[in-house]
Amino acid sequence: MGLNLELNDFQTPLEEDEKEGLLISTITNRADLDEFEQLGVVETMKWLVGKRFLYQDVLNIIFIKTLHKKMFSTVWKWAGEFRLTNKNIGIDKSIILEELKKLFDDCIYWIENKTFSEDEIALRLSHRLVWIHPFANGNGRLSRLHADVLINNCFGKPNFTWGAKNLIKEGEARTKYLEAIREADLLNYKPLIRFARM
């Protein structure tokens, strides 16, 4: 039996273009990056505890940029700024602002007209944020936290559990989450609602 020298995703060294904008020079691989980013997410979650917002206060461009900056400003120089390049996921960079405005207008309409349940509105917000992919990094965590802000800090309901697992690392929870996201791509939000409330 030989040594397994394959690196898992979290040992994989960051490419030079992935390091652009990093504020911490000791970050060399995905595990390091995830750890530092998660610290910012935890601090942002602490900042949100007990805060109450009107839904109009969180469904706008200023709030999403502020939330991303709070989450990642200790790691990324460009935290809170929309991406300037196209990625293999997400819409064209030139229409990010337009699509975010449409999303926030849709959410406000759904809330005011009770089009969907509060859970489904928050999860539609999260799902579309991932599809838009407004920032160069951190979109998944941002989308889930933004949904939690809407459901908890605006609607007064418990935060989502998101399967009660780390969704960044490969595993059963991430697989189920991605399956639920693929169903949401087909406009079937029931699996994502079930997963988010597990």
Side-chain angles (χ1 to χ4, degrees):
M1 183 163 137
L3 290 173
N4 180 359
L5 298 178
E6 286 186 32
L7 299 174
N8 67 35
D9 283 345
F10 287 89
Q11 295 170 313
T12 303
L14 294 174
E15 301 290 331
E16 285 310 309
D17 65 328
E18 292 176 304
K19 293 179 185 177
E20 193 173 323
L22 268 176
L23 296 171
I24 304 166
S25 60
T26 57
I27 295 176
T28 58
N29 59 45
R30 295 200 183 283
D32 295 343
L33 179 59
D34 182 53
E35 184 178 330
F36 280 101
E37 285 183 335
Q38 192 56 35
L39 290 172
V41 173
V42 169
E43 287 305 308
T44 305
M45 291 169 73
K46 287 179 187 173
W47 171 75
L48 287 166
V49 170
K51 287 193 176 359
R52 288 288 170 243
F53 300 109
L54 299 174
Y55 60 85
Q56 299 92 330
D57 295 335
V58 303
L59 295 172
N60 62 64
I61 302 301
I62 293 169
F63 184 82
I64 195 170
K65 287 180 136 190
T66 301
L67 188 61
H68 190 272
K69 189 169 183 103
K70 280 194 170 294
M71 293 170 72
F72 301 115
S73 64
T74 59
V75 179
W76 296 107
K77 184 182 327 186
W78 45 259
E81 298 302 321
F82 296 142
R83 63 182 160 84
L84 300 174
T85 59
N86 286 326
K87 304 286 183 189
N88 63 349
I89 184 172
I91 61 171
D92 188 277
K93 67 184 186 328
S94 66
I95 59 171
I96 289 171
L97 190 59
E98 177 185 334
E99 288 299 322
L100 284 172
K101 285 179 179 175
K102 282 186 203 172
L103 169 59
F104 297 141
D105 287 347
D106 285 350
C107 285
I108 290 168
Y109 177 87
W110 298 332
I111 292 165
E112 292 176 351
N113 291 281
K114 299 182 179 1
T115 308
F116 307 108
S117 70
E118 291 172 340
D119 277 7
E120 186 167 339
I121 292 169
L123 292 170
R124 282 175 177 265
L125 167 69
S126 175
H127 176 255
R128 249 176 69 204
L129 280 174
V130 170
W131 174 75
I132 293 169
H133 211 77
F135 300 97
N137 201 354
N139 292 286
R141 283 180 272 198
L142 171 76
S143 76
R144 291 187 293 275
L145 188 55
H146 204 161
D148 280 337
V149 169
L150 187 60
I151 205 70
N152 182 267
N153 302 82
C154 296
F155 297 153
K157 294 175 72 174
N159 280 338
F160 294 111
T161 62
W162 301 106
K165 300 284 181 191
N166 182 336
L167 297 178
I168 306 302
K169 294 181 181 175
E170 292 299 323
E172 186 180 341
R174 182 171 171 79
T175 300
K176 285 183 179 175
Y177 172 64
L178 293 176
E179 287 170 359
I181 290 291
R182 281 190 282 278
E183 282 297 312
D185 290 344
L186 303 172
L187 302 181
N188 176 13
Y189 285 88
K190 288 184 178 121
L192 188 55
I193 294 168
R194 276 194 306 272
F195 179 83
R197 287 291 182 204
M198 283 176 70

